Amino acid sequence: MPALSDLAIDSNAINDGAWVEIDEYPGLKIKSRGYTDTFVDAQNRRLDKAMRAANVSSVPLISNAVRRQINAKLLAEFLVMDVDGLFKDTAQTQPVTVDEFKTLLQDPKYSRLMNACWEAAGSVTRDGASQTEEAEGNSAPPSSGG
């Protein structure tokens, strides 16, 4: 039987963010907030505005391109805080800054980055900082700028 503590969320990690290793891309770490009330409220407002602009009655009827742009901006504004372990070059001498990363989220060519961000935010919401601290040995990676 679960203890009450098993059902609690890590509200500090959700609000303040935590580093998450992205398993699909070894070495890539994203510092993300979880799904905060502020994020969910902004998402609801933007989707409602997009539905009205498209004159449709439900979110699935909004074009994918519009939803992708809404989601990219929501990730950049509310969830993604930093990135580490992503480089512009194969020699790994030019790290991607967090600002560059956030800009890339809007490019459909980099939809895998958006998926990694959703994975990170979901992990923080679900697991909080504990899983990341265990993986990192209780130390966060250095900031890659931004």
Side-chain angles (χ1 to χ4, degrees):
M1 298 191 123
L4 188 56
S5 61
D6 294 334
L7 302 175
I9 61 169
D10 186 344
S11 58
N12 288 334
I14 290 171
N15 291 312
D16 301 335
W19 284 101
V20 176
E21 292 182 6
I22 306 302
D23 293 336
E24 188 174 352
Y25 307 106
L28 176 60
K29 298 176 189 96
I30 298 172
K31 185 173 185 182
S32 177
R33 290 182 186 91
Y35 300 124
T36 63
D37 290 342
T38 304
F39 163 80
V40 173
D41 291 343
Q43 182 182 47
N44 288 335
R45 281 190 306 273
R46 292 177 192 191
L47 289 172
D48 182 62
K49 183 178 178 181
M51 285 189 312
R52 284 186 275 117
N55 198 26
V56 296
S57 59
S58 66
V59 171
L61 298 175
I62 301 169
S63 76
N64 189 60
V66 170
R67 283 186 289 157
R68 181 178 50 249
Q69 288 303 306
I70 290 169
N71 286 332
K73 289 176 182 176
L74 287 165
L75 284 167
E77 291 175 36
F78 295 97
L79 300 180
V80 174
M81 300 175 72
D82 206 348
V83 64
D84 186 63
L86 183 63
F87 298 88
K88 298 174 196 171
D89 60 330
T90 55
Q92 299 186 353
T93 60
Q94 301 174 24
V96 173
T97 68
V98 69
D99 290 334
E100 291 167 332
F101 185 84
K102 289 177 178 183
T103 299
L104 291 171
L105 292 175
Q106 296 182 46
D107 186 341
K109 180 170 133 180
Y110 295 104
S111 65
R112 291 178 181 168
L113 290 181
M114 186 181 289
N115 293 341
C117 292
W118 291 124
E119 178 183 334
S123 178
V124 172
T125 301
R126 182 182 59 254
D127 304 326
S130 61
Q131 182 182 41
T132 303
E133 288 173 357
E134 290 169 14
E136 294 293 328
N138 293 318
S139 66
S143 174
S144 61

